[in-house]
């Protein structure tokens, strides 16, 4: 029987309207969520612009005064090594990079470690396990995109399910302990299937189950924990 790891629930801050983002972060901070998910985009690696280091710093201040949650930074930028120190100083606990964004991604993972932060790898729908497996021993969090990156609210691509199974099996077979997470299309049905059947413990939460719901954030988080 598959060992069930505790769920990691990661609200995606990109879903919040910029005009009242602090107030909404304070509401999230009072819930049983686990990790703030902050998307940084440069308009080059993906065809969109995301949040900035200023929002990351604001979230750090809010949660440091409150629940002291973790913050991850999903770097959808070219050559993220240029920004690792700045993102680390702004308060990110986990820094994710895409292997396609760097000439030598393993060196950037080592740079993240040197800043005293947890390392993260993001696999796009078209990124094969073979491309990243040699870096997995120095990776703390592996996040699989089940949508093409760059925009919020897209639907889960069913063919990516096999990738979660492969990454979970590889983790078990090689005695590794990285966390395995989903980013994109996290509906009730997808969360339940990946958690119970594929060994996935972490979920980036968006409009499907957390934001713009009739319930408040706390009730939504409690509901998602039960999936």
């Amino acid at each position: 029987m598959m060992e069930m790891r505790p769920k990691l629930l990661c609200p995606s801050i990109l879903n919040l309207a910029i005009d009242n983002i602090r107030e909404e972060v304070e509401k999230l901070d009072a819930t049983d969520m686990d990790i703030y998910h902050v998307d940084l985009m440069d308009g080059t690696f993906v065809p969109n612009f995301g949040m900035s280091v200023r929002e990351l710093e604001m979230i750090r201040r809010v949660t440091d005064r409150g629940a002291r949650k973790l913050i991850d930074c999903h770097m959808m930028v070219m050559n993220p090594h240029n920004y690792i120190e700045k993102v680390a100083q702004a308060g990110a606990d986990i820094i994710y990079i895409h292997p396609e964004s760097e000439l030598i991604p393993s060196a950037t993972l080592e740079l993240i470690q040197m800043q005293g932060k947890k390392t993260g790898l993001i696999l796009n729908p078209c990124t094969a396990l073979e491309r990243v497996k040699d870096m997995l021993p120095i990776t703390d969090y592996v996040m699989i995109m089940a949508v093409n990156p760059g925009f919020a609210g897209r639907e889960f691509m069913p063919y990516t399910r096999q990738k979660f199974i492969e990454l979970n099996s590889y983790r078990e077979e090689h005695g590794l302990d990285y966390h395995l997470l989903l980013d994109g299309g996290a509906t009730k049905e997808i969360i339940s299937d990946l958690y119970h059947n594929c060994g996935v413990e972490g979920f980036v939460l968006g409009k499907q189950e957390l934001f713009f719901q009739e319930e408040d954030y706390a009730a939504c988080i409690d509901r998602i924990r039960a999936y």
Side-chain angles (χ1 to χ4, degrees), residues 181-193:
L181 300 92
L182 159 72
D183 188 358
T187 63
K188 175 181 179 178
E189 293 76 20
I190 297 299
I191 293 170
S192 179
D193 175 46

Side-chain angles (χ1 to χ4, degrees), residues 1-4 161-162 164-166 168-169 172 180 189-201 203 227:
M1 186 174 178
M2 186 178 297
E3 179 185 353
M4 307 302 289
R161 185 178 185 273
Q162 183 60 32
F164 292 97
I165 295 172
E166 290 176 7
N168 181 53
S169 296
E172 294 177 349
L180 186 57
E189 293 76 20
I190 297 299
I191 293 170
S192 179
D193 175 46
L194 295 186
Y195 182 67
H196 292 283
N197 301 319
C198 304
V200 180
E201 68 263 30
F203 301 92
Y227 291 168

Side-chain angles (χ1 to χ4, degrees), residues 25-136:
V25 168
E26 289 171 347
K27 292 177 184 176
L28 283 168
D29 206 59
T31 75
D32 187 37
M33 56 151 282
D34 297 290
I35 303 170
Y36 290 100
H37 182 73
V38 179
D39 290 300
L40 264 63
M41 308 181 209
D42 63 357
T44 300
F45 184 70
V46 291
N48 197 8
F49 291 94
M51 310 192 79
S52 72
V53 171
R54 293 177 65 188
E55 280 91 38
L56 178 55
E57 290 171 337
M58 180 274 292
I59 297 166
R60 182 81 273 162
R61 290 193 299 271
V62 168
T63 197
D64 280 355
R65 287 197 297 269
R68 296 186 181 276
K69 308 285 190 187
L70 296 175
I71 303 173
D72 78 45
C73 183
H74 176 184
M75 301 192 72
M76 287 180 265
V77 303
M78 293 302 298
N79 301 309
H81 67 270
N82 292 327
Y83 314 105
I84 296 300
E85 186 174 353
K86 184 181 289 290
V87 167
Q89 290 176 349
D93 300 291
I94 306 154
I95 303 176
Y96 287 98
I97 65 166
H98 287 259
E100 297 89 351
S101 68
E102 289 280 21
L103 190 60
I104 310 176
S106 57
T108 305
L109 294 179
E110 292 175 355
L111 183 58
I112 294 168
Q113 290 179 326
M114 289 170 61
Q115 294 292 323
K117 305 301 182 179
K118 297 294 186 183
T119 56
L121 275 176
I122 300 269
L123 278 67
N124 282 337
C126 58
T127 306
L129 168 60
E130 190 68 27
R131 178 159 192 170
V132 301
K133 69 179 185 179
D134 290 341
M135 293 182 283
L136 293 177

Side-chain angles (χ1 to χ4, degrees), residues 135-186:
M135 293 182 283
L136 293 177
I138 58 169
T139 303
D140 299 302
Y141 291 78
V142 177
M143 185 173 285
I144 298 175
M145 300 293 301
V147 298
N148 287 315
F151 297 90
R154 291 182 167 180
E155 292 186 5
F156 182 89
M157 295 176 170
Y159 67 84
T160 62
R161 185 178 185 273
Q162 183 60 32
K163 200 184 303 289
F164 292 97
I165 295 172
E166 290 176 7
L167 265 293
N168 181 53
S169 296
Y170 191 89
R171 173 171 63 178
E172 294 177 349
E173 291 165 5
H174 292 81
L176 299 174
D177 198 38
Y178 52 78
H179 296 286
L180 186 57
L181 300 92
L182 159 72
D183 188 358

